[in-house]
């Protein structure tokens, strides 16, 4: 029998890529939740339009449907706006998980967390490192993790950072940089902010493997190479044949009226390598993004 998989945030940067990967696997039947109706073809996914923070609607939905696995990608990722919408953000990042727990306790949940649950002081964080979120977005992701730690559900928490394209193209870091560079505008890249992000295509393959191998617990997933955001943007520019001299090296500084952001959120990926037997190269990820580019821009 096919495994029924529900993907929340299925139209988003990561969620859509997961849909496009898992729909090729004949062992899975996919259901995707978002609020805004998609305006492109994505067959083989059963689209469900609902607001996850409307708990009555969500409860009714779970009364009628059971899923073997829920991949919870839906999120409010604008760090600045999260500070102004704490109640809503808590509902989406934390309370929704409680609803899964109450109304779908036998589902396995794959919770997409963030490298920003760490304070970024030391970097190379392992799964056992002490979490210390600096802003409300990160705090809410940390609370979502805590809820799972205290629940009886089977769970897999993936801490990560990602890059790629939305459909239609939006304004994540690489989308913004490519748009500006194409228009020959100068941009700034932070040379004191470090991460080891994955291309969303790499994350989708990892999730498929984690499902097949019934992996549980907390996993840090990232590329083998850690890099500053400045050097990352330079690499992206080169692969996309854009003028990397338009990228200016600058230092991130915190401002009184802005939420704090961690400086070095690099993740130690030893557990991913040993238990999942998988590794992802940063340059390969950027090349894969380039190869996929036409798909997102047509
Ligand atoms: N982007 C990053 O750099 C980054 C870094 C680290 C971790 N993450 C984590 O990775 C995951 C995926 O992020 P992403 O960048 O793919 O997000 P995204 O592109 O902003 O997509 C968010 C998705 O959630 C849906 N959504 C938002 N609010 C909803 C609601 N109330 N009810 C139903 N659906 C809702 C959106 O669709 P509608 O708007 O149509 O509802 C969209 O499909 C998140 O858990 C995020 O915390 C992201």
């Amino acid at each position: 029998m096919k495994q029924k998989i529900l993907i929340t945030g299925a139209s988003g940067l990561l969620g859509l890529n997961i849909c496009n990967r898992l729909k090729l696997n004949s062992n899975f039947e996919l259901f995707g939740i978002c609020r805004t109706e998609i305006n492109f073809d994505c067959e083989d996914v059963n689209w469900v339009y609902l607001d996850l923070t409307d708990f009555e609607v969500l409860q009714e939905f779970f009364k009628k449907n059971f899923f073997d696995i829920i991949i919870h990608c839906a999120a409010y990722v604008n760090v600045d706006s999260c500070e102004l919408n704490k109640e809503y953000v808590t509902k989406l990042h934390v309370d929704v998980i409680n609803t899964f727990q109450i109304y779908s306790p036998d589902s396995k949940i794959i919770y997409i967390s963030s490298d920003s649950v760490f304070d970024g002081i030391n970097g190379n964080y392992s799964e056992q490192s002490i979490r210390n979120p600096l802003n409300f977005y990160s705090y809410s992701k940390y609370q979502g993790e805590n809820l799972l730690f205290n629940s009886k559900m089977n769970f897999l928490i993936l801490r990560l950072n990602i890059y790629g394209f939305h459909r239609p193209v939006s304004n994540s870091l690489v989308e913004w940089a490519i748009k500006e560079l194409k228009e020959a505008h100068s941009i700034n890249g932070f040379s004191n902010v470090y991460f080891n992000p994955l291309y969303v295509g790499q994350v989708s393959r990892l999730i498929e493997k984690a499902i097949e191998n019934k992996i549980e617990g907390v996993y840090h997933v990232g590329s083998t190479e850690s890099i500053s955001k400045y050097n990352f943007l330079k690499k992206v520019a080169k692969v996309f044949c854009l003028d990397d001299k338009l990228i200016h090296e600058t230092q991130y500084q915190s401002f009184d009226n802005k939420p704090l952001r961690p400086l070095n959120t690099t993740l130690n990926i030893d557990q991913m390598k040993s238990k999942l037997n998988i590794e992802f190269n940063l340059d390969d990820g950027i090349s894969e993004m380039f190869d996929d580019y036409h798909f997102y821009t047509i």
Side-chain angles (χ1 to χ4, degrees):
M1 217 167 66
K2 289 189 181 209
Q3 280 192 296
K4 282 176 81 170
I5 301 184
L6 177 68
I7 298 149
T8 73
S11 61
L13 175 61
L14 179 58
L16 184 59
N17 210 285
I18 294 173
C19 288
N20 284 330
R21 174 74 197 187
L22 298 189
K23 74 184 187 187
L24 305 175
N25 189 322
S26 57
N27 294 323
F28 302 146
E29 186 181 1
L30 299 189
F31 296 78
I33 288 183
C34 55
R35 289 167 303 181
T36 318
E37 206 161 321
I38 59 161
N39 59 1
F40 48 85
D41 285 343
C42 190
E43 287 160 17
D44 303 324
V45 174
N46 300 287
W47 289 93
V48 182
Y49 298 107
L50 60 79
D51 185 336
L52 287 161
T53 63
D54 187 336
F55 296 136
E56 276 180 29
V57 171
L58 197 56
Q59 178 181 338
E60 283 308 307
F61 177 69
F62 281 122
K63 275 186 188 163
K64 294 185 192 125
N65 299 283
F66 173 76
F67 302 97
D68 299 288
I69 297 170
I70 301 169
I71 307 177
H72 188 34
C73 297
Y76 192 73
V77 298
N78 184 321
V79 173
D80 291 352
S81 302
C82 281
E83 300 293 323
L84 308 172
N85 295 287
K86 291 181 177 170
E87 201 176 320
Y88 173 75
V89 171
T90 303
K91 273 185 163 183
L92 187 60
H93 296 173
V94 188
D95 301 341
V96 168
I97 299 173
N98 200 34
T99 310
F100 298 154
Q101 182 177 246
I102 297 169
Y103 299 104
S104 198
D106 296 326
S107 301
K108 172 177 178 174
I109 176 154
I110 299 180
Y111 178 58
I112 307 300
S113 188
S114 169
D115 60 351
S116 72
V117 295
F118 298 108
D119 55 22
I121 293 170
N122 297 318
N124 194 31
Y125 294 103
S126 78
E127 286 79 357
Q128 289 74 40
S129 296
I130 305 287
R131 297 165 300 153
N132 183 26
L134 297 184
N135 55 55
F136 196 79
Y137 165 77
S138 310
Y139 178 67
S140 65
K141 301 299 287 187
Y142 159 94
Q143 282 186 306
E145 290 188 357
N146 288 348
L147 220 157
L148 286 170
F149 292 146
N150 295 320
S151 92
K152 292 197 171 70
M153 289 180 92
N154 282 339
F155 67 81
L156 169 63
I157 292 173
L158 297 178
R159 296 195 186 122
L160 46 65
N161 204 315
I162 48 173
Y163 60 92
F165 293 100
H166 287 87
R167 197 162 179 196
V169 172
S170 182
N171 60 356
S172 67
L173 178 67
V174 290
E175 291 168 300
W176 161 78
I178 289 168
K179 179 177 172 291
E180 294 300 319
L181 296 176
K182 274 189 155 185
E183 293 170 8
H185 295 157
S186 298
I187 59 171
N188 289 330
F190 296 129
S191 57
N192 61 339
V193 180
Y194 289 87
F195 64 163
N196 54 337
L198 288 178
Y199 177 53
V200 284
Q202 296 173 317
V203 180
S204 301
R205 292 199 291 284
L206 181 137
I207 287 177
E208 184 176 27
K209 189 163 189 184
I211 292 171
E212 287 172 343
N213 290 300
K214 299 187 171 53
I215 298 290
E216 289 175 13
V218 182
Y219 277 74
H220 285 184
V221 298
S223 56
T224 42
E225 188 184 357
S226 296
I227 193 166
S228 71
K229 294 216 168 170
Y230 168 70
N231 282 325
F232 174 70
L233 291 179
K234 300 270 277 186
K235 272 184 187 283
V236 171
K238 283 195 176 122
V239 172
F240 279 76
C241 302
L242 296 164
D243 183 0
D244 68 335
K245 288 188 219 58
L246 289 169
I247 307 170
H248 299 297
E249 186 174 352
T250 182
Q251 299 269 308
Y252 168 78
Q253 283 170 336
S254 58
F255 291 97
D256 285 349
N257 59 345
K258 291 275 187 190
L260 280 174
R261 287 161 195 262
L263 289 181
N264 183 348
T265 57
T266 52
L267 299 171
N268 181 309
I269 54 167
D270 287 349
Q271 181 183 242
M272 174 189 103
K273 289 197 281 191
S274 63
K275 292 200 182 156
L276 269 161
N277 195 21
I278 199 166
E279 265 185 74
F280 296 109
N281 179 284
L282 184 68
D283 290 319
D284 290 348
I286 296 172
S287 299
E288 189 179 336
M289 173 170 71
F290 179 72
D291 292 342
D292 288 347
Y293 185 50
H294 69 280
F295 174 76
Y296 290 93
T297 47
I298 48 167

